[in-house]
Amino acid sequence: MITLYSYPGLFGVADNNPYGLKVFAFLKLCNLPFWQEHILDPKHAPRGQLPYIAVEGTDIGDSDSIVAYLIHKYRLSIDSALTAPQRDMDLLLRRMLDDLYWVMSYSRWRDDRYYPLFRDEFLKAHAPQVTAAALEAARNYNFQRYYYQGIGRYEPAAVYERGVAGLQVLANLMPASGYLFGPVPSSIDAAIYGFIANILFYEIETPLKTFVASRPNLVRHCRDMHKAVSQHNL
Ligand SMILES: N[C@@H](CCC(=O)N[C@@H](CS)C(=O)NCC(=O)O)C(=O)O
């Protein structure tokens, strides 16, 4: 049995962290049985970051490494039909999503307009396991991460401009129906869902959410993926 160690859910999505939701969605798309363990402290994770999986005594971290490991181990066919250009696009999109991660995270923890809504929802959903003091400590830690990554030195408008530019490319690429590369999902759809669901389903009107909500193809893809990976339809 695979165990997925990931952060808790929020606003009806299975993990409030896009990388964990990516792995969750991938496991569901592939019909792999797994047990999800929601944790908050990543200290036991490989490289000290969530998500990670434990399978047959081996711990694997990093969402894309997890996906690659599972495809290889279980000979999964989810990406078998991809052409070489689609594989290149897959990689470039994953890198774009890595960049979007910082903007999403900034909007939740750093932006004073949105942090109180994020904090209050987190406490509503996860107190007493999560306390206001723990969230405050996480916020301070994230401030340092943003500073050293660089985004913490941008003006907020420039942060969102960067995030929306990535989302615009995604909106240009996403077809009106089906999945990114055709009528059946591939692993990149799980990756896209991990990020877009963590924007669209949040009742926090950030510039990222305003943009996603204004693109019917992104909304449709996210809702289709949500249906495919969960019992509860939004
Ligand atoms: N490349 C990793 C990134 C995972 C990641 O950024 N995890 C963050 C989520 S907030 C984390 O656990 N951070 C804790 C830390 O860096 O101390 C992946 O794809 O899984």
Side-chain angles (χ1 to χ4, degrees):
M1 177 66 100
I2 299 164
T3 304
L4 167 62
Y5 293 94
S6 66
Y7 288 110
L10 210 61
F11 289 113
V13 299
D15 186 331
N16 84 88
N17 179 265
Y19 296 109
L21 191 62
K22 178 204 296 191
V23 175
F24 172 90
F26 174 82
L27 289 163
K28 289 277 188 176
L29 286 182
C30 295
N31 288 317
L32 286 173
F34 68 101
W35 172 255
Q36 187 175 20
E37 188 99 27
H38 290 296
I39 59 174
L40 291 158
D41 186 349
K43 71 170 180 279
H44 296 301
R47 302 197 195 107
Q49 289 196 316
L50 298 181
Y52 75 102
I53 60 163
V55 51
E56 293 168 18
T58 307
D59 290 346
I60 299 118
D62 183 88
S63 57
D64 291 334
S65 303
I66 294 169
V67 166
Y69 177 88
L70 293 173
I71 286 177
H72 183 257
K73 182 174 176 63
Y74 297 108
R75 294 178 164 68
L76 303 173
S77 61
I78 185 165
D79 287 344
S80 303
L82 298 193
T83 63
Q86 285 173 336
R87 289 178 195 280
D88 289 344
M89 180 60 72
D90 172 296
L91 183 99
L92 292 176
L93 278 177
R94 286 171 201 273
R95 295 294 181 266
M96 183 281 284
L97 294 171
D98 283 342
D99 199 85
L100 181 62
Y101 163 80
W102 291 101
V103 181
M104 289 176 60
S105 185
Y106 177 104
S107 73
R108 295 174 180 186
W109 294 97
R110 172 73 194 263
D111 195 319
D112 290 334
R113 290 170 295 177
Y114 311 124
Y115 173 67
L117 297 167
F118 175 69
R119 177 199 57 210
D120 293 350
E121 183 65 23
F122 217 104
L123 290 174
K124 200 168 86 190
H126 300 299
Q129 291 88 344
V130 178
T131 62
L135 289 179
E136 221 38 53
R139 187 177 199 219
N140 288 333
Y141 174 62
N142 280 328
F143 276 26
Q144 289 183 40
R145 294 173 73 226
Y146 305 147
Y147 180 80
Y148 290 115
Q149 190 271 346
I151 204 149
R153 307 169 207 210
Y154 288 33
E155 288 304 314
V159 173
Y160 296 113
E161 204 176 301
R162 192 177 176 93
V164 167
L167 288 169
Q168 178 67 66
V169 171
L170 194 58
N172 294 344
L173 295 170
M174 184 62 72
S177 64
Y179 297 91
L180 189 74
F181 294 140
V184 291
S186 57
S187 71
I188 193 64
D189 293 289
I192 293 167
Y193 169 75
F195 285 77
I196 301 301
N198 262 303
I199 295 172
L200 181 66
F201 295 141
Y202 277 43
E203 289 161 27
I204 304 178
E205 293 298 327
T206 67
L208 300 180
K209 173 160 177 182
T210 303
F211 181 85
V212 168
S214 75
R215 293 301 186 277
N217 57 343
L218 294 183
V219 172
R220 195 269 319 151
H221 177 268
C222 188
R223 291 193 182 280
D224 285 357
M225 281 295 298
H226 193 70
K227 259 187 226 153
V229 304
S230 61
Q231 291 95 336
H232 308 288
N233 300 341
L234 289 179

